[in-house]
Amino acid sequence: MSHISVIIPSYNSEKTIKKTIESVLNQTFSDLELIVINDGSKDSTLEIISNFKDSRIKVFSFENSGGNISRNRGLKYAVGKFVSFLDADDIWTADKLASQLQALQKNLGAKVAYSWTDYIDENGEILLSGTHITVNGNVYEKLLVSNFLENGSNPLIYREALIELGGFDESLNAAQDWDMWLRLASKFDFVCVPSVQILYRMSSNSVSSNLVRQEKSCLQVLKRAYKERPSLRDAPSLSTLKNSWNLSLANLYKYLTCKALQKPFNRQRGLAAARFMCKYFLNDPSRLQNINLTLKLLLKIIIILTLPTLFYSITNWRKARSQQPETLFNRWVAEKRPKNKNGYPGAFTISS
């Protein structure tokens, strides 16, 4: 019986699945099983997986059903005491599982260990750093305001805790990870490993790129979480509840605005960004202090709506000078933060 079960849902992942699997097999902690749920792939995903000759790999194929159903299917096959999920285009550093397992063993009251995330492009190059937040113990209030775990490839979790909660909500079309982390946080303590160990790949084909679906699902998750919140541990006052709700919405719409301002640049995404930015501004309790960020977002929206060709020329010019096009976005939009101990520059908060 393996100590850790790693579950990878995979759908048409031929471009990334090899490096994702390698990042699991190369973990310094080797007492694991790797469960790949092939979610109806039509490309060469299965052929690539079959090239790995490692007895720890188990592959199960189903008709396409979506990521949350695939995660739950993998959970049913898992036999490890601990479980970690990994999207088929993300990568772990070699010490990810060992560090998180050690954190749980040192903090017996915690049932979830998480690490920090940085973001990579389709070529595996670093784009920007994540939130790099350290919160231990009861993290529910912080998690309501922002999904600081940032993605579904992050935590190591006691399998019994996942089973107790019934796995992922299969009715959600997006934000399933945030919903799962919130439900875990309502019952169990978390512990942080303050190190970048998850490399999250940003692409236009990811689930989070569907902004309308992302908005709807995130609002559904938030409404349910706040509805259940008064019965959790110490219930806050009504004024505190309202302020927290506004802050949650502000962070959500700030994130959606930034997502809409990523490539491809077009009028539709520009209009979506304008709508999200208005909701961010209206809900932000610190709107006056954050006016510079709002103006930078507005400037980029105006450029995309009026001069998309010029904006493409600017980004292509910067790329020609051996800089990632997203650097332009970071410099115009990102809030200034000092370098963290990993050496990566601080950047604007991104969530899954």
Side-chain angles (χ1 to χ4, degrees):
M1 181 178 294
S2 300
H3 208 54
I4 295 179
S5 297
V6 178
I7 298 171
I8 300 179
S10 178
Y11 173 70
N12 289 346
S13 308
E14 62 181 5
K15 294 181 179 180
T16 59
I17 191 66
K18 183 175 184 290
K19 289 189 177 297
T20 298
I21 291 178
E22 286 175 345
S23 78
V24 177
L25 300 182
N26 292 334
Q27 290 292 302
T28 57
F29 182 87
S30 59
D31 183 15
L32 59 86
E33 63 172 354
L34 173 54
I35 299 172
V36 180
I37 301 298
N38 174 41
D39 192 28
S41 297
K42 304 297 183 182
D43 60 3
S44 61
T45 295
L46 278 177
E47 181 181 348
I48 293 172
I49 297 173
S50 67
N51 290 329
F52 286 95
K53 307 303 179 183
D54 194 307
S55 60
R56 294 174 295 176
I57 300 177
K58 304 172 184 177
V59 183
F60 303 91
S61 294
F62 299 89
E63 293 183 359
N64 182 252
S65 303
N68 49 352
I69 293 177
S70 293
R71 292 186 185 97
N72 285 342
R73 284 171 170 166
L75 185 58
K76 291 178 180 178
Y77 288 109
V79 298
K81 183 176 181 180
F82 303 90
V83 174
S84 194
F85 301 92
L86 176 60
D87 288 348
D89 53 355
D90 296 341
I91 298 173
W92 286 341
T93 61
D95 61 340
K96 189 264 189 188
L97 292 179
S99 299
Q100 291 182 339
L101 179 60
Q102 184 179 36
L104 288 174
Q105 291 172 336
K106 288 183 177 180
N107 298 269
L108 298 180
K111 298 297 182 184
V112 181
Y114 72 95
S115 307
W116 292 344
T117 296
D118 276 354
Y119 293 81
I120 59 175
D121 62 15
E122 295 180 351
N123 298 317
E125 299 296 325
I126 295 289
L127 290 177
L128 68 163
S129 59
T131 57
H132 297 181
I133 290 176
T134 299
V135 187
N136 294 308
N138 179 4
V139 305
Y140 192 82
E141 296 299 318
K142 293 285 187 181
L143 200 54
L144 265 181
V145 173
S146 175
N147 179 15
F148 57 82
L149 271 69
E150 304 191 59
N151 56 79
S153 299
N154 190 333
L156 180 67
I157 310 162
Y158 276 85
R159 182 166 62 95
E160 290 182 355
L162 288 165
I163 294 174
E164 179 180 335
L165 295 175
F168 290 83
D169 185 347
E170 298 182 359
S171 69
L172 290 171
N173 292 319
Q176 305 98 330
D177 56 332
W178 191 15
D179 173 72
M180 186 74 257
W181 313 155
L182 278 166
R183 288 192 285 130
L184 284 165
S186 72
K187 291 181 175 293
F188 309 111
D189 286 346
F190 284 41
V191 60
C192 176
V193 176
S195 178
V196 175
Q197 297 183 322
I198 296 91
L199 300 178
Y200 180 88
R201 195 181 304 273
M202 299 177 69
S203 71
S204 57
N205 296 324
S206 65
V207 172
S208 60
S209 65
N210 189 322
L211 300 177
V212 174
R213 180 170 60 181
Q214 188 80 354
E215 178 190 19
K216 182 179 179 180
S217 295
C218 285
L219 287 174
Q220 184 178 343
V221 168
L222 277 176
K223 288 176 181 177
R224 179 165 60 188
Y226 272 94
K227 183 178 179 181
E228 297 174 354
R229 184 186 185 199
S231 63
L232 299 171
R233 301 186 182 184
D234 298 323
S237 64
L238 290 177
S239 60
T240 303
L241 190 66
K242 186 177 187 302
N243 184 67
S244 179
W245 170 254
N246 289 340
L247 188 57
S248 294
L249 289 181
N251 281 334
L252 170 61
Y253 283 108
K254 180 166 61 175
Y255 159 70
L256 290 173
T257 301
C258 293
K259 286 290 291 184
L261 292 176
Q262 294 173 4
K263 295 172 66 175
F265 306 125
N266 54 54
R267 182 174 178 79
Q268 182 180 2
R269 292 179 70 88
L271 291 172
R275 180 172 70 86
F276 293 146
M277 192 198 71
C278 288
K279 293 189 176 184
Y280 157 57
F281 183 79
L282 291 174
N283 286 287
D284 186 11
S286 305
R287 62 178 66 89
L288 296 180
Q289 293 93 318
N290 296 330
I291 192 65
N292 287 337
L293 172 62
T294 303
L295 291 175
K296 290 174 184 177
L297 292 171
L298 180 60
L299 175 60
K300 187 168 183 180
I301 291 171
I302 292 173
I303 292 175
I304 290 177
L305 288 176
T306 58
L307 298 169
T309 303
L310 175 60
F311 195 83
Y312 267 116
S313 299
I314 292 173
T315 56
N316 289 335
W317 174 75
R318 294 189 69 89
K319 185 175 182 180
R321 296 185 62 183
S322 301
Q323 294 188 31
Q324 295 293 341
E326 286 76 9
T327 303
L328 179 63
F329 168 74
N330 292 338
R331 289 186 177 180
W332 283 10
V333 178
E335 299 171 291
K336 291 184 178 179
R337 286 166 42 195
K339 287 188 177 182
N340 57 56
K341 69 179 185 179
N342 293 283
Y344 298 127
F348 182 76
T349 298
I350 299 292
S351 180
S352 65

